[in-house]
Amino acid sequence: MTTTRPVASSSSWLILSTLALLCTIAVVLRSNKQHAATTNKTTAQMITSRQTKQSILQQPSKGKSRNMVGGYSGMDTEFLQSEEILEIATFVLNQHAAGSSTFDSTSLAVLPEEVESGVIKMKVLEAQRQVVAGLNYRLTLAILKHNVCLGAFKVMVYKPLPYMEQDLTVTSWGNTLECSDIKDAMQAMEENALLVEEEMKEEQEEVEPDA
């Protein structure tokens, strides 16, 4: 008597094998998807971190100015008292005293002898610098006679690059200002100047402590 293997048993085995294979494939696909998601998240975090660091590095330090080609940058109090700005302001004052300015206000009229003797002094209230093929400066200068305010004015000056072998040039004589207009600015400048002086004194004391 011949025994015939049931067809149902063979079919069940095939179905179970197929289900097991599908489950394995599903597990592998899910694992790959989770890995890809984790990788993308890590990559995004790295990019964000890198962008944040670059943003921080690109920000100007406190109290410092950024020189952007084509744009004016403001100067801090310490820079207002620098040799660079003093050179520009002295040139402007001498030009003004020589009669090169175009101001209608007679209250700002000064003589070269008064400037040379020190009777006339100036204070730089504001300064901005622009990097071009050289440097452009925008200044607000207060004029004082015997330490009494006469008024102020705005001016623009161009400083060529050294290799050009050219002199400073006033490119624009701007608006004039009354003493009442610059009262707050002068007071703020004096206060900031005192702070800078105190900071420099403290730094010097740290470098050269008392014996």
Side-chain angles (χ1 to χ4, degrees):
M1 182 176 180
T2 303
T3 303
T4 304
R5 188 173 183 178
V7 176
S9 297
S10 179
S11 299
S12 298
W13 179 83
L14 181 60
I15 292 173
L16 291 173
S17 298
T18 303
L19 289 174
L21 180 60
L22 291 175
C23 289
T24 302
I25 293 173
V27 170
V28 172
L29 291 175
R30 183 177 180 182
S31 177
N32 290 340
K33 185 177 181 180
Q34 290 177 344
H35 178 72
T38 302
T39 302
N40 291 337
K41 183 177 180 180
T42 302
T43 303
Q45 290 175 343
M46 291 175 64
I47 293 174
T48 302
S49 177
R50 185 179 303 171
Q51 290 174 343
T52 302
K53 290 180 180 179
Q54 290 177 346
S55 177
I56 293 173
L57 291 174
Q58 290 171 356
Q59 292 178 356
S61 302
K62 186 177 181 181
K64 301 296 181 180
S65 61
R66 293 179 61 192
N67 292 330
M68 298 187 301
V69 176
Y72 276 94
S73 57
M75 301 297 137
D76 58 20
T77 304
E78 186 175 355
F79 188 81
L80 292 180
Q81 301 173 353
S82 66
E83 292 295 329
E84 178 181 350
I85 293 300
L86 179 60
E87 176 194 2
I88 304 299
T90 301
F91 167 75
V92 171
L93 181 59
N94 289 331
Q95 290 292 303
H96 171 57
S100 298
S101 59
T102 57
F103 304 133
D104 295 331
S105 176
T106 57
S107 62
L108 290 174
V110 298
L111 299 174
E113 305 86 59
E114 294 176 317
V115 174
E116 185 177 353
S117 64
V119 172
I120 298 295
K121 296 182 180 180
M122 64 184 173
K123 285 190 177 181
V124 182
L125 303 181
E126 295 177 335
Q128 292 181 310
R129 183 173 59 185
Q130 180 189 37
V131 179
V132 288
L135 293 170
N136 283 330
Y137 295 87
R138 290 196 304 200
L139 305 180
T140 300
L141 297 178
I143 304 299
L144 294 86
K145 185 173 184 178
H146 297 298
N147 293 324
V148 177
C149 175
L150 297 180
F153 60 86
K154 296 180 180 294
V155 65
M156 295 180 64
V157 179
Y158 171 68
K159 183 178 183 179
L161 294 171
Y163 78 88
M164 295 179 177
E165 298 182 352
Q166 299 176 5
D167 297 329
L168 294 169
T169 304
V170 174
T171 56
S172 175
W173 296 97
N175 298 329
T176 58
L177 302 169
E178 300 293 335
C179 293
S180 57
D181 297 330
I182 61 172
K183 181 179 179 181
D184 293 340
M186 289 188 64
Q187 183 177 356
M189 187 201 68
E190 291 174 357
E191 292 175 353
N192 290 333
L194 289 175
L195 290 175
V196 171
E197 185 177 348
E198 290 177 0
E199 291 177 358
M200 293 177 63
K201 185 177 180 181
E202 291 177 357
E203 291 177 358
Q204 186 176 1
E205 289 176 351
E206 291 178 357
V207 174
E208 301 177 359
D210 295 337

